[in-house]
DNA sequence: GATGAATGAGCATTCATTCAT
DNA sequence: GATGAATGAATGCTCATTCAT
């Protein structure tokens, strides 16, 4: 519905660019409006307030993100393959979108606690995808049957997130996508010798 | 030098309390001064500016943190034992200090990018402890010899951090310390069946 | 001319309702348009600007007001009777129209100085009715021959207005109409004992 | 207490000047600060917000006003003399203070309903002075024993207020003080011939 | 005539930092 | 060293008005 109004996405896309290039605290509404090519007041025809832009940004982009990952892993059979595809797609999408990588890994984290709680609600969708893979893996016997699902999910998400953040903080100097396979190996096998 | 001056730590301790109880964005210098029992201006006799308080806070507290962990793991022999002790101590220290848990996991993350980069520099000390354990594990043959040290470090830190953050966000409803052993298991063994 | 166009009065009536129910400063043009069942832009086909709505509102409503009072007092012979009828009609009309009472006594007073000056020009018509009664009273000998007409007019208008305002501010808790006779007595006799 | 702080009254006096010269809606905080010779932020060391300046202004000035009137009428014996002195003092004080006359009669009336209600609370003090005179007059037999005190008070206040407002709206072209006696006469004698 | 999406000027308030005492 | 009163830059949001359809 909202998405049919071209200015809605236009403003969200502008927000991503402005936040990525100026930082969260320097992303004034007027700057976003200018980048979007609309008047300041127009922003408020599509968003309740500034925070609403950021939440919507996250919802829209994270929605696409999860959707694309789900599409990709749908074609895979084993939990292990699905996990690999998930990591690869995650790394691929952020490698392809420099601005979003900065915004999600660095800038949006400095939003206030309340906004972060709402962002976490959006993240739930992603965490559920991870949990589903873990459960499947346990059922098929690929994964250890006494695996604590919540902890495993935290390990997987925490590792992926930390890997991407490190990469962004190192100014994306190396190939993130190349890390997908070793990270996957690590998550499956752990540090221990087998 | 600075540390000999009693007001230095007094202000840092006040900052922890004020940030934990009011949130990062509601932690005005005047509030910290009041909590510390000094005048606003006095702050500036000990710290260059507000950011300097936060960096110093992190340096002092993280310094203690790493020191305590190093002491604890010094008594352990194998890398596996050291890793377990590290996780246990990490969880223990934050379980014991409600204020610091909130400040490090939630509040300080909403500082600006520059401050976070400096905080990361402080974190280096902790990451080196992790790396040293990994290297030792590889040398002794406990850990896989083709383990990528940086990735393993990111997995270990990412998993621990995500676990603590989840715990704080869930209002510390469950026993964090009890998770040390399963998290340790997970990091050593991974998700896969053995 | 304008008055033949049905939307003209439709918008004015909407303005009365919106101002009475939301207050002067919350009576946005868009709200008036919505209440009138027209588009925002349509307002500007009938009124030059927002101020013009308010002035027109006052002119139209005050015009009716004075007209009705003049009709009523036309049937009376003595100045004293005319004054009583005027007060009674004034009180009656505002008692009957809750919205107008609020708008004229409370809300329209918080318009800016310029608008209030224009409103005063409209009030002239009413003040002239009062003056005519005073002059008649002086001629027939009912009123003191050395009565200062302007001052007497200010007393009469000021007293009536203050009485109505008090009544509106007290949320119209008592019967305003019942005060017509004593107010009239008061204005005729003054405070002095005779 | 507050009044000992010189800047408190300095800011209030500045507000009177700025409002009188620019109008209520053009009296920005920064303009008041500039007129007072302080920084914008300093205002907020002495007042909670802009509205607080206006309420305080009214309280301080009205307080002085009522005080002076009470002093003046204290020396008078009869109710009639007290009423005259009250009117004279009222007219005198506003004649002497051009800015306050504009502010109280025109500008402050366009404040929002809530502020006006608070202003009315302050006015209570003045209305009580009037009521006391009326009651005294009734007791001594100067005034009619069946005088409705509330209505009489509304007549007296309404007449005085309307007279002053008319004078201010006519740009203070004539001598307000000269009207004290005839207004007094009018209020005492009423319009009726004796 | 009627619409309603788009415009953009304007302002109260906070708070890190300074500096005279 | 310690104080705390004073500073002033910086910004999200509203709403009367326009004008292309």
């Amino acid at each position: 519905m909202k998405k049919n109004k071209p200015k809605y996405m236009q403003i969200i896309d502008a927000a991503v660019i402005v936040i990525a290039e100026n930082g969260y605290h320097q992303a004034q509404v007027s700057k976003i409006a200018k980048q979007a090519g609309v008047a300041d007041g127009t922003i408020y025809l599509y968003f309740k307030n500034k925070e609403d832009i950021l939440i919507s940004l996250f919802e829209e982009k994270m929605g696409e993100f999860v959707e694309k990952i789900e599409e990709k892993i749908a074609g895979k059979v084993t939990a292990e393959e699905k996990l690999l595809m998930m990591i690869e797609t995650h790394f691929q999408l952020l490698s392809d979108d420099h601005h979003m990588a900065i915004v999600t890994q660095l800038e949006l984290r400095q939003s206030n606690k309340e906004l972060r709680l709402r962002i976490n609600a959006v993240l739930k969708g992603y965490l559920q995808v991870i949990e589903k893979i873990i459960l499947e893996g346990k059922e098929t016997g690929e994964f250890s049957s006494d695996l604590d699902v919540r902890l495993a999910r935290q390990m997987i998400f925490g590792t992926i997130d930390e890997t991407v953040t490190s990469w962004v903080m190192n100014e994306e100097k190396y190939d993130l996508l190349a890390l997908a396979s070793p990270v996957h190996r690590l998550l499956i096998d752990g540090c221990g010798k087998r």
Side-chain angles (χ1 to χ4, degrees), chain A:
Chain A
M1 174 174 50
K2 266 181 180 174
K3 301 176 199 174
N4 292 333
K5 305 203 178 181
K7 300 217 168 151
Y8 176 78
M9 285 312 293
Q10 196 174 323
I11 290 165
I12 284 184
D13 289 337
V16 173
I17 294 171
V18 169
I19 293 173
E21 294 185 346
N22 299 275
Y24 181 81
H25 289 295
Q26 278 308 303
Q28 294 88 346
V29 171
S30 61
K31 229 178 241 170
I32 295 172
K34 198 172 182 183
Q35 171 73 33
V38 300
D40 291 18
T42 306
I43 298 268
Y44 294 88
L45 296 177
Y46 297 92
F47 300 92
K48 220 167 64 257
N49 49 37
K50 185 180 178 179
E51 195 175 60
D52 191 29
I53 306 175
L54 303 174
I55 292 169
S56 301
L57 180 165
F58 205 77
E59 281 173 353
E60 294 293 341
K61 296 300 184 182
M62 200 64 200
E64 286 177 30
F65 198 91
V66 172
E67 220 168 276
K68 281 177 189 164
I69 286 178
E70 282 182 322
E71 271 172 34
K72 284 287 198 173
I73 65 178
K76 298 298 171 182
V77 179
T78 66
E80 211 172 297
E81 281 171 339
K82 285 183 178 172
L83 185 60
L84 177 57
M85 180 52 79
M86 189 189 86
I87 298 171
E88 277 177 349
T89 313
H90 188 135
F91 286 3
Q92 179 75 65
L93 289 172
L94 290 180
S95 286
D96 288 352
D97 193 341
H98 177 54
H99 283 150
M100 272 307 288
I102 292 176
V103 169
T104 58
Q105 303 306 123
L106 299 186
E107 301 301 342
L108 236 44
R109 316 234 160 165
Q110 53 194 301
S111 54
N112 59 55
K113 211 175 359 181
E114 198 187 347
L115 178 52
R116 281 219 317 298
L117 287 172
R118 302 218 27 197
I119 283 177
N120 275 320
V122 178
L123 267 182
K124 275 269 167 69
Y126 190 32
L127 298 180
Q128 279 165 358
V129 173
I130 299 179
E131 287 204 1
K132 229 166 71 185
I133 294 176
I134 297 169
L135 287 169
E136 261 183 60
K138 286 181 71 172
E139 273 170 30
T140 62
E142 287 173 86
F143 293 168
S144 171
S145 62
D146 56 357
L147 200 60
D148 180 312
V149 178
R150 196 187 58 201
L151 286 187
R153 185 246 286 157
Q154 285 170 4
M155 177 172 77
I156 293 170
F157 183 78
T159 302
I160 293 176
D161 190 58
E162 180 69 18
T163 305
V164 178
T165 300
S166 268
W167 171 73
V168 174
M169 281 206 169
N170 280 289
E171 288 163 349
E172 314 183 2
K173 279 199 295 261
Y174 45 87
D175 181 8
L176 179 61
L177 200 47
L179 298 181
S181 177
V183 165
H184 174 249
R185 232 356 340 112
L186 211 48
L187 290 172
I188 298 291
D189 294 342
C191 297
K193 184 147 196 158
R194 17 206 70 225

